[in-house]
Amino acid sequence: SWWISTADQRMLDEAAKLAAKNAAIEVVKLNVQVAGVKFRPQQRKAIDQTIAAYNAGSNAAWIPLPTGRGKTFVAGGIITYFKEQGLLDNDNLVFPTVFFFTKKQVLVPTVDKLKDYFVLKCATDKAPNYDAAVYCANYQALSTKRWGSFFKPVTRESFGNTVTDEVWTPREKITLIFLDECHECKKMKSRRTKRIMGIARAARAAGRRVFWIFMSATNATTLDDTRLFNYCAGLCEDDDASAFLSRFLSPVKGARTSSKIKKQMENYIEHIGPMYVRPPNDPLGYKIHNKIEIIDFQCKRDEAFDRFHIFCASGG
């Protein structure tokens, strides 16, 4: 009962400590060099700010780069810096010290970029490599039996309730974990999110530091979407994070309106400080399209005619 009653005050004390630490963070221009790679100004700023957060003792960074701005290149630059600084210990027997999770559709292009541009040996579920520097996997794979064998159920008591977690079992020293397209892990009850959190639980229980890098073009839009980041970054003690998030919730009527939510997110981002990477505006010379037109119809009549024949040919 004492632990529950003092939760809010403990969160305030932790927030004050974090604010004091963030105030002292200084971003240094590292000018990371990779042969054959020319980083854009926005990418360099993202690399420098992320590494500044790591050097200041933070456990996570959040990089909200828009589509087409080269999140994979930012990741490659960060991995290169860690290698050059001797921060990646390759004494592991099963997994390398760097994990890179992403969507299934972009896994192969991501692996190709890391291999071709940064000369990084990558292992995947389909192509294991015990000499790899990075292990790349898609989020769907976390629900397979192969990945399930790396977790075990562990029960604990959380605010008077018995909860069962899936906790990472390999005794591997994981240093860096990238969550590309991290909006794929918003649902706290999904297996992929639970198992990613299980890796964080094991590291915290063993007293090992893991630096988490969240990347997404569509960064979180509500406080609920930040729960995984809060736990991995060590901002809250429990995956529920209710006491921590209550600091940013408006108690007045209409707290769920878009303007209130926007203000809550602004306060939250200000609170986490340098962990929220803010690269400068770097406009591209081309436009990014998420959808393409395969057939360009000359008129509505031609479109209706072709759609009818496609419908008939498909057995409709």
Side-chain angles (χ1 to χ4, degrees), residues 58-91:
S58 299
N59 293 324
W62 184 357
I63 307 176
L65 276 176
T67 301
R69 264 58 174 187
K71 292 188 291 293
T72 307
F73 280 83
V74 171
I78 294 170
I79 297 171
T80 299
Y81 174 84
F82 271 68
K83 283 184 63 179
E84 292 176 348
Q85 298 299 312
L87 298 173
L88 300 180
D89 185 1
N90 277 331
D91 288 340

Side-chain angles (χ1 to χ4, degrees), residues 166-185:
E166 293 190 73
V167 180
W168 179 254
T169 54
R171 300 174 64 86
E172 306 281 39
K173 297 177 182 178
I174 310 301
T175 303
L176 276 173
I177 297 181
F178 292 87
L179 298 183
D180 185 29
E181 309 293 351
C182 60
H183 53 269
E184 292 287 313
C185 304

Side-chain angles (χ1 to χ4, degrees), residues 38-56:
K38 184 178 180 180
F39 292 108
R40 296 179 63 85
Q42 193 178 43
Q43 294 166 352
R44 287 204 174 278
K45 188 70 176 289
I47 293 170
D48 293 347
Q49 289 186 355
T50 303
I51 294 172
Y54 174 83
N55 289 335

Side-chain angles (χ1 to χ4, degrees), residues 229-253:
F229 178 87
N230 296 333
Y231 184 79
C232 293
L235 297 175
C236 60
E237 299 172 358
D238 188 83
D239 57 359
D240 180 50
S242 296
F244 174 73
L245 293 178
S246 65
R247 298 184 65 253
F248 309 99
L249 294 173
S250 175
V252 299
K253 185 177 180 181

Side-chain angles (χ1 to χ4, degrees), residues 206-223:
R208 292 176 181 167
R209 183 188 182 191
V210 177
F211 190 62
W212 298 79
I213 300 175
F214 288 63
M215 302 189 296
S216 176
T218 54
N219 51 311
T221 55
T222 69
L223 288 172

